[in-house]
Amino acid sequence: MLNNFNFSLLAIIFLLLFIINFKKYNKKLFIFNYYKKKNFLFKIIKELLPILIFIFIFRFFLYEPFKIPSTSMMPNLLIGDYILVEKFSYNIRNPLTNNIIFYTKKPCYGDIIVFQYPHNNKINYIKRIIGLPGDKVTYNYKKKEIKIYNADKKMNKIYYIKKKNSRFIEEIKYKKNKFTERFWHYKCFKNKIPINFIKLSEKLEIINNIKYPILIIPQVNTKKSNYIKEWIVPKNMYFVMGDYRDNSEDSRHWGFLSKKLLIGKAKYLILNLNKKIYYINFKFKKLKKIC
């Protein structure tokens, strides 16, 4: 379904088209006679209409801004980051019904994608493609590492470079039966980290020749120390994960992602305006490619 902005924009476009055509056949109405001499209202409408149509086409078919809502893609994308999502990467949709008209190309390993959450299509999620249809994906909860076997049972190339200390330190609070998290730069503490803070680690994950750091909590294993889980990705489905491996609600929890729910590929990181939560990246970021 259309998001609220696109739906409102489309409704305004139809309204302006109706006013322009209504004027042609209803010249005797008072509201049109009032502007008959100057006619400035309709001049504004005619000038505004092409701009609104261009904005709608750009947002619906080409690129749409998306705000990162959570910490699951850290350290690569921070909460409050604004990105541009390429809408034509995987499919072309009908602007009225939002149904897929045809598919363009298939997602690749390592793609950062925006999609409709399978259990609530009104919510958009952002994760990274890890497993393609037919793959067997295994995840080691102790090493925090993935192995991928394709349909021919051959292991796809995925490498890791040794972990290092992250620049992020996480503060966790428990208030009103809820956990809240806040992230700080390590330089804020001068090597003296308070008790309620967690020093995070990073390791470099390389998949499909795409290199990106993943964030992990080295002190805590969320499962048994030797626990390894595996999944077989069904046809027309994908296995997705967040880059903050110990704090991401992804395919490990809610299952596989249908290709019908793909919205687009995250292409450009624009800026971050969220100064209240993050004490780094205060300045606007230059336009750059994510992957």
Side-chain angles (χ1 to χ4, degrees), residues 130 138-140 143-148 157-163 203-207 212 214 216 241 245:
I130 298 296
T138 67
Y139 183 69
N140 188 313
K143 295 181 178 180
K144 316 290 176 69
E145 292 183 358
I146 301 164
K147 288 184 179 179
I148 304 171
K157 294 180 179 179
I158 179 167
Y159 306 102
Y160 291 91
I161 295 178
K162 291 182 179 180
K163 62 184 178 182
K203 63 169 62 177
L204 195 65
E205 188 171 270
I206 306 170
I207 180 173
Y212 51 89
I214 59 172
I216 57 177
M241 294 178 69
R245 293 292 155 82

Short mmCIF file of all heavy atoms in Angstrom, two decimals, residues 130 138-140 143-148 157-163 203-207 212 214 216 241 245:
data_model
loop_
_atom_site.label_atom_id
_atom_site.label_comp_id
_atom_site.label_asym_id
_atom_site.label_seq_id
_atom_site.Cartn_x
_atom_site.Cartn_y
_atom_site.Cartn_z
N ILE A 130 21.51 -11.75 3.26
CA ILE A 130 22.52 -12.74 3.62
C ILE A 130 22.32 -14.04 2.83
O ILE A 130 23.27 -14.62 2.31
CB ILE A 130 22.50 -13.03 5.13
CG1 ILE A 130 22.82 -11.75 5.93
CG2 ILE A 130 23.46 -14.16 5.49
CD1 ILE A 130 24.21 -11.21 5.69
N THR A 138 23.90 -20.94 8.00
CA THR A 138 24.17 -21.33 9.38
C THR A 138 24.77 -20.13 10.12
O THR A 138 25.53 -19.34 9.55
CB THR A 138 25.15 -22.51 9.47
OG1 THR A 138 26.44 -22.09 9.00
CG2 THR A 138 24.66 -23.68 8.63
N TYR A 139 24.39 -20.01 11.40
CA TYR A 139 24.90 -18.90 12.22
C TYR A 139 25.44 -19.45 13.53
O TYR A 139 24.74 -20.17 14.25
CB TYR A 139 23.81 -17.87 12.49
CG TYR A 139 24.32 -16.67 13.27
CD1 TYR A 139 25.19 -15.77 12.68
CD2 TYR A 139 23.93 -16.45 14.59
CE1 TYR A 139 25.68 -14.68 13.37
CE2 TYR A 139 24.40 -15.36 15.30
CZ TYR A 139 25.28 -14.47 14.68
OH TYR A 139 25.76 -13.39 15.38
N ASN A 140 26.70 -19.14 13.82
CA ASN A 140 27.36 -19.57 15.05
C ASN A 140 27.20 -18.45 16.08
O ASN A 140 27.76 -17.36 15.93
CB ASN A 140 28.84 -19.86 14.78
CG ASN A 140 29.54 -20.48 15.96
OD1 ASN A 140 29.40 -20.02 17.09
ND2 ASN A 140 30.31 -21.53 15.70
N LYS A 143 30.79 -17.52 17.84
CA LYS A 143 31.73 -16.77 17.00
C LYS A 143 31.08 -15.57 16.33
O LYS A 143 31.78 -14.71 15.80
CB LYS A 143 32.32 -17.70 15.94
CG LYS A 143 33.17 -18.82 16.50
CD LYS A 143 33.74 -19.67 15.36
CE LYS A 143 34.64 -20.77 15.88
NZ LYS A 143 35.20 -21.60 14.78
N LYS A 144 29.74 -15.55 16.31
CA LYS A 144 28.98 -14.49 15.60
C LYS A 144 29.34 -14.48 14.12
O LYS A 144 29.55 -13.44 13.51
CB LYS A 144 29.26 -13.11 16.21
CG LYS A 144 29.27 -13.06 17.75
CD LYS A 144 27.90 -13.26 18.32
CE LYS A 144 27.96 -13.30 19.85
NZ LYS A 144 28.28 -12.04 20.49
N GLU A 145 29.40 -15.68 13.54
CA GLU A 145 29.80 -15.80 12.14
C GLU A 145 28.79 -16.63 11.35
O GLU A 145 28.11 -17.51 11.90
CB GLU A 145 31.19 -16.44 12.04
CG GLU A 145 32.29 -15.55 12.59
CD GLU A 145 33.66 -16.17 12.43
OE1 GLU A 145 33.74 -17.32 11.93
OE2 GLU A 145 34.66 -15.52 12.80
N ILE A 146 28.74 -16.35 10.05
CA ILE A 146 27.78 -16.98 9.14
C ILE A 146 28.52 -17.90 8.18
O ILE A 146 29.66 -17.62 7.77
CB ILE A 146 27.03 -15.91 8.32
CG1 ILE A 146 26.28 -14.95 9.24
CG2 ILE A 146 26.07 -16.54 7.33
CD1 ILE A 146 25.85 -13.69 8.54
N LYS A 147 27.87 -18.99 7.79
CA LYS A 147 28.32 -19.80 6.67
C LYS A 147 27.14 -19.98 5.73
O LYS A 147 26.00 -20.16 6.18
CB LYS A 147 28.84 -21.15 7.14
CG LYS A 147 30.18 -21.08 7.85
CD LYS A 147 30.70 -22.47 8.22
CE LYS A 147 32.04 -22.37 8.92
NZ LYS A 147 32.55 -23.72 9.30
N ILE A 148 27.41 -19.93 4.42
CA ILE A 148 26.34 -20.02 3.43
C ILE A 148 26.68 -21.14 2.44
O ILE A 148 27.76 -21.15 1.86
CB ILE A 148 26.17 -18.70 2.66
CG1 ILE A 148 25.92 -17.54 3.64
CG2 ILE A 148 25.01 -18.79 1.67
CD1 ILE A 148 25.95 -16.18 2.98
N LYS A 157 31.67 -17.92 -0.66
CA LYS A 157 32.79 -17.25 -0.02
C LYS A 157 32.30 -16.15 0.91
O LYS A 157 31.68 -15.19 0.48
CB LYS A 157 33.71 -16.66 -1.09
CG LYS A 157 34.40 -17.72 -1.95
CD LYS A 157 35.31 -17.09 -2.99
CE LYS A 157 36.00 -18.16 -3.83
NZ LYS A 157 36.88 -17.57 -4.86
N ILE A 158 32.56 -16.33 2.20
CA ILE A 158 32.28 -15.30 3.19
C ILE A 158 33.42 -15.34 4.21
O ILE A 158 33.74 -16.39 4.77
CB ILE A 158 30.90 -15.51 3.85
CG1 ILE A 158 30.64 -14.42 4.90
CG2 ILE A 158 30.73 -16.88 4.41
CD1 ILE A 158 29.20 -14.37 5.35
N TYR A 159 34.07 -14.21 4.38
CA TYR A 159 35.26 -14.16 5.21
C TYR A 159 35.06 -13.19 6.37
O TYR A 159 34.20 -12.31 6.34
CB TYR A 159 36.47 -13.68 4.39
CG TYR A 159 36.74 -14.48 3.14
CD1 TYR A 159 36.37 -13.99 1.89
CD2 TYR A 159 37.36 -15.71 3.21
CE1 TYR A 159 36.61 -14.71 0.74
CE2 TYR A 159 37.61 -16.45 2.06
CZ TYR A 159 37.23 -15.94 0.83
OH TYR A 159 37.47 -16.67 -0.32
N TYR A 160 35.91 -13.37 7.37
CA TYR A 160 35.91 -12.46 8.53
C TYR A 160 37.34 -12.05 8.85
O TYR A 160 38.27 -12.86 8.77
CB TYR A 160 35.28 -13.14 9.75
CG TYR A 160 33.80 -13.37 9.60
CD1 TYR A 160 33.32 -14.56 9.07
CD2 TYR A 160 32.88 -12.39 9.97
CE1 TYR A 160 31.96 -14.77 8.91
CE2 TYR A 160 31.52 -12.59 9.81
CZ TYR A 160 31.07 -13.78 9.28
OH TYR A 160 29.73 -13.98 9.11
N ILE A 161 37.49 -10.80 9.22
CA ILE A 161 38.77 -10.30 9.70
C ILE A 161 38.64 -10.06 11.20
O ILE A 161 37.59 -9.62 11.67
CB ILE A 161 39.17 -9.01 8.96
CG1 ILE A 161 39.42 -9.33 7.48
CG2 ILE A 161 40.39 -8.36 9.56
CD1 ILE A 161 39.78 -8.14 6.63
N LYS A 162 39.70 -10.35 11.93
CA LYS A 162 39.65 -10.36 13.39
C LYS A 162 39.00 -9.10 13.96
O LYS A 162 39.15 -8.01 13.42
CB LYS A 162 41.07 -10.50 13.96
CG LYS A 162 41.70 -11.86 13.71
CD LYS A 162 43.06 -11.95 14.34
CE LYS A 162 43.68 -13.34 14.10
NZ LYS A 162 45.03 -13.44 14.71
N LYS A 163 38.32 -9.31 15.09
CA LYS A 163 37.58 -8.21 15.69
C LYS A 163 38.50 -7.18 16.35
O LYS A 163 39.64 -7.47 16.71
CB LYS A 163 36.58 -8.75 16.71
CG LYS A 163 37.21 -9.48 17.89
CD LYS A 163 36.12 -10.05 18.79
CE LYS A 163 36.74 -10.81 19.96
NZ LYS A 163 35.71 -11.41 20.81
N LYS A 203 33.92 -6.61 13.80
CA LYS A 203 34.75 -7.43 12.92
C LYS A 203 34.30 -7.19 11.50
O LYS A 203 33.14 -6.81 11.25
CB LYS A 203 34.69 -8.91 13.28
CG LYS A 203 33.34 -9.56 13.13
CD LYS A 203 33.44 -11.08 13.25
CE LYS A 203 33.93 -11.54 14.58
NZ LYS A 203 33.94 -13.03 14.70
N LEU A 204 35.20 -7.35 10.57
CA LEU A 204 34.90 -7.09 9.16
C LEU A 204 34.33 -8.35 8.52
O LEU A 204 34.93 -9.42 8.58
CB LEU A 204 36.16 -6.65 8.43
CG LEU A 204 35.94 -6.00 7.06
CD1 LEU A 204 35.20 -4.68 7.19
CD2 LEU A 204 37.29 -5.78 6.37
N GLU A 205 33.15 -8.22 7.94
CA GLU A 205 32.51 -9.32 7.22
C GLU A 205 32.62 -9.04 5.73
O GLU A 205 32.33 -7.92 5.28
CB GLU A 205 31.04 -9.44 7.64
CG GLU A 205 30.33 -10.65 7.10
CD GLU A 205 28.95 -10.82 7.73
OE1 GLU A 205 28.85 -11.50 8.77
OE2 GLU A 205 27.97 -10.26 7.19
N ILE A 206 33.04 -10.04 4.96
CA ILE A 206 33.21 -9.87 3.51
C ILE A 206 32.36 -10.90 2.80
O ILE A 206 32.58 -12.11 2.92
CB ILE A 206 34.69 -10.04 3.11
CG1 ILE A 206 35.57 -9.09 3.94
CG2 ILE A 206 34.89 -9.78 1.62
CD1 ILE A 206 37.05 -9.36 3.80
N ILE A 207 31.38 -10.43 2.05
CA ILE A 207 30.48 -11.32 1.31
C ILE A 207 30.24 -10.72 -0.07
O ILE A 207 29.98 -9.52 -0.19
CB ILE A 207 29.14 -11.50 2.08
CG1 ILE A 207 28.19 -12.42 1.32
CG2 ILE A 207 28.48 -10.19 2.39
CD1 ILE A 207 26.92 -12.78 2.10
N TYR A 212 32.14 -4.84 4.99
CA TYR A 212 31.42 -3.97 5.91
C TYR A 212 31.65 -4.48 7.33
O TYR A 212 31.76 -5.68 7.57
CB TYR A 212 29.93 -3.93 5.59
CG TYR A 212 29.30 -5.30 5.46
CD1 TYR A 212 28.76 -5.95 6.56
CD2 TYR A 212 29.26 -5.95 4.23
CE1 TYR A 212 28.20 -7.22 6.44
CE2 TYR A 212 28.71 -7.22 4.10
CZ TYR A 212 28.18 -7.84 5.21
OH TYR A 212 27.64 -9.10 5.10
N ILE A 214 30.61 -5.42 11.18
CA ILE A 214 29.44 -5.80 11.96
C ILE A 214 29.73 -5.51 13.42
O ILE A 214 30.88 -5.55 13.86
CB ILE A 214 29.06 -7.28 11.76
CG1 ILE A 214 30.21 -8.20 12.16
CG2 ILE A 214 28.63 -7.54 10.32
CD1 ILE A 214 29.85 -9.67 12.18
N ILE A 216 29.16 -6.29 17.48
CA ILE A 216 28.83 -7.41 18.36
C ILE A 216 29.11 -7.03 19.81
O ILE A 216 29.85 -6.08 20.10
CB ILE A 216 29.62 -8.69 18.00
CG1 ILE A 216 31.12 -8.42 18.05
CG2 ILE A 216 29.21 -9.23 16.65
CD1 ILE A 216 31.98 -9.64 17.78
N MET A 241 19.60 -10.05 7.68
CA MET A 241 20.12 -9.82 9.03
C MET A 241 20.54 -8.36 9.17
O MET A 241 20.88 -7.69 8.19
CB MET A 241 21.31 -10.74 9.32
CG MET A 241 20.97 -12.21 9.37
SD MET A 241 22.43 -13.26 9.66
CE MET A 241 22.81 -12.83 11.36
N ARG A 245 24.69 -7.59 15.19
CA ARG A 245 24.25 -8.98 15.22
C ARG A 245 23.61 -9.40 16.55
O ARG A 245 22.79 -10.32 16.58
CB ARG A 245 25.43 -9.91 14.91
CG ARG A 245 25.90 -9.75 13.46
CD ARG A 245 24.85 -10.27 12.49
NE ARG A 245 24.93 -9.67 11.18
CZ ARG A 245 25.77 -10.06 10.22
NH1 ARG A 245 26.60 -11.05 10.43
NH2 ARG A 245 25.76 -9.46 9.05
#
